């Protein structure tokens, strides 16, 4: 495993992080408690020290499961969690892709932080992130004053923003604003070899301000793992179904995605890398990117991803070829 700091901060992460969302919401088909715990513990054995979760994941499960699986290793872990969605006044595990109301008031953030500390079984949070915040929250001086108060009390150590839920080009502005106005330690975005829309501006702002970037969905919801076909279907309730809710969406993501992947064989032929490992190597070619959060839902896949840092890094020529293909939409006509 390799480790990087978030920019010039002292926040350090394993380059392969663990996004606890996958094993705490049921939206990736991981519902077996024993498997969930086994994956978290095996990741730690493989050198994963960075765990990204949120209070709303499974209405608290995303935090309590970390305590249950790895609580004895707290001093060897870096924990990032999130706040902002008020699930206390609307209980019941979040259905599908619907967002709950945000509450950015100082009173709420202080309450949310105390509750997260209890669930995590710790007295500090390494990275406390605004969950799917928009510009209005990033501009909220009262909110950031409350966060600074929590820092002064030692309850949180760094502040970040996690942008989403889905990719929206406005998140480029939100990421810039987070770095330039609030000088946050981290901005979390969706970014991968096939979906690079947000990268350029967010990475530039990170370089300018000394912050770092965290990436989720680094395999484009599984496409870049190399196991899908045009016949692939997902079980009811699986998060990936939102990618194929119509014939047009299915074509644009799955069918066209497979055509793009067919043009990436140069990343795996004779290199010793799998496609999933190459997808991660592409991300780490960006110096401001501190950690990537692959969706981990089985042990074989976990082993593959954790071995990626030991593979031969992508060459400058390979990276230039990827970016050239992306700039031309892989030669496909845009929908």
């Amino acid at each position: 495993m390799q480790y990087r700091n978030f920019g010039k901060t002292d926040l350090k992460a394993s380059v392969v992080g663990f996004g606890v969302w996958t094993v705490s919401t049921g939206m990736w088909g991981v519902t077996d408690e024993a498997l969930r715990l086994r994956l978290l513990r095996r990741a730690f054995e493989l050198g994963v020290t960075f765990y990204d979760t949120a209070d709303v994941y499974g209405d608290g499960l995303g935090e309590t499961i970390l305590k249950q699986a790895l609580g004895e290793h707290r001093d060897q872990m870096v924990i990032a969690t999130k706040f902002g969605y008020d699930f206390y006044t609307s209980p019941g595990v979040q259905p599908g892709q619907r967002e709950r109301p945000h509450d950015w008031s100082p009173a709420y953030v202080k309450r949310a932080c105390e509750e997260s500390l209890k669930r995590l079984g710790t007295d500090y949070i390494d990275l406390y992130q605004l969950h799917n915040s928009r510009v209005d929250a990033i501009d909220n001086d009262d909110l950031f004053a409350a966060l600074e108060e929590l820092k002064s009390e030692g309850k949180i150590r760094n502040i970040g923003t996690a942008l989403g839920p889905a990719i929206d080009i406005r998140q480029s502005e939100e990421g810039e604003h987070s770095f330039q106005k609030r000088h946050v330690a981290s901005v979390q975005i969706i970014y991968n070899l096939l979906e690079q829309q947000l990268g350029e501006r967010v990475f530039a702002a990170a370089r300018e301000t000394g912050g770092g970037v965290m990436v989720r969905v680094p395999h484009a919801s599984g496409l870049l793992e190399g196991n899908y076909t045009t016949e692939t279907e997902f079980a009811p309730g699986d998060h990936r179904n939102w990618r194929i809710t119509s014939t047009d969406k299915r074509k644009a993501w799955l069918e066209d995605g497979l055509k793009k992947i067919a043009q990436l064989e140069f990343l795996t032929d004779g290199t010793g890398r799998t496609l999933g490992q190459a997808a991660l190597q592409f991300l780490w070619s960006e110096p401001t990117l501190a950690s990537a959060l692959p969706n981990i839902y089985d042990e074989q896949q976990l082993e593959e991803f954790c071995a990626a840092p030991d593979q031969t890094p992508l060459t400058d020529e390979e990276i230039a070829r990827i970016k050239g293909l992306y700039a031309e939409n892989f030669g496909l006509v845009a929908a």
Side-chain angles (χ1 to χ4, degrees), residues 131-329:
H131 198 171
N132 294 339
S133 52
R134 279 61 161 183
V135 168
D136 62 329
I138 300 165
D139 275 338
N140 188 327
D141 291 336
D142 291 339
L143 167 60
F144 276 84
L147 290 169
E148 290 297 334
E149 186 176 336
L150 290 170
K151 279 184 72 174
S152 69
E153 295 170 353
K155 295 177 180 178
I156 64 175
R157 293 187 170 177
N158 296 275
I159 300 167
T161 57
L163 306 180
I167 296 177
D168 186 318
I169 197 61
R170 289 173 292 187
Q171 291 160 20
S172 294
E173 177 188 358
E174 294 160 3
E176 287 177 330
H177 212 49
S178 298
F179 282 128
Q180 294 168 352
K181 179 170 183 176
R182 298 302 180 185
H183 296 278
V184 297
S186 169
V187 168
Q188 181 181 151
I189 60 172
I190 295 173
Y191 181 81
N192 56 67
L193 195 153
L194 302 179
E195 297 169 311
Q196 301 179 38
Q197 299 95 310
L198 305 179
E200 183 175 349
R201 289 174 61 180
V202 174
F203 294 144
R207 287 191 289 272
E208 175 189 340
T209 61
V213 180
M214 184 194 324
V215 163
R216 68 181 186 277
V217 199
H219 293 103
S221 297
L223 259 179
L224 289 165
E225 294 169 13
N227 300 317
Y228 293 172
T229 72
T230 55
E231 305 303 316
T232 295
E233 300 285 348
F234 304 107
D238 191 298
H239 165 77
R240 288 164 285 189
N241 280 310
W242 76 269
R243 294 274 200 174
I244 54 174
T245 53
S246 68
T247 301
D248 286 346
K249 287 191 73 171
R250 183 181 183 90
K251 180 181 184 302
W253 177 65
L254 181 58
E255 296 177 15
D256 285 357
L258 291 170
K259 293 175 183 176
K260 295 174 183 179
I261 288 169
Q263 300 178 56
L264 297 173
E265 291 182 354
F266 66 92
L267 295 174
T268 56
D269 285 352
T271 66
R273 312 180 197 109
T274 66
L275 179 61
Q277 291 172 335
L280 292 171
Q281 289 281 3
F282 169 71
L283 302 179
W284 298 325
S285 69
E286 168 53 49
T288 64
L289 200 152
S291 189
L293 307 171
N295 292 103
I296 296 167
Y297 43 93
D298 69 51
E299 291 166 277
Q300 180 179 350
Q301 172 202 54
L302 172 61
E303 302 270 349
E304 175 189 343
F305 295 159
C306 287
D310 296 326
Q311 300 299 317
T312 304
L314 268 60
T315 65
D316 290 344
E317 180 182 0
E318 287 172 324
I319 293 166
R321 190 169 172 184
I322 290 168
K323 292 188 174 181
L325 286 167
Y326 179 80
E328 298 174 355
N329 195 34

Side-chain angles (χ1 to χ4, degrees), residues 63-92:
E63 293 176 330
T64 58
I65 197 173
L66 271 181
K67 177 184 176 182
Q68 183 180 359
L70 296 169
E72 63 186 302
H73 302 293
R74 175 64 185 102
D75 61 343
Q76 300 169 267
M77 299 165 59
V78 178
I79 295 177
T81 192
K82 311 180 191 73
F83 71 95
Y85 287 123
D86 181 8
F87 68 97
Y88 299 100
T89 56
S90 56

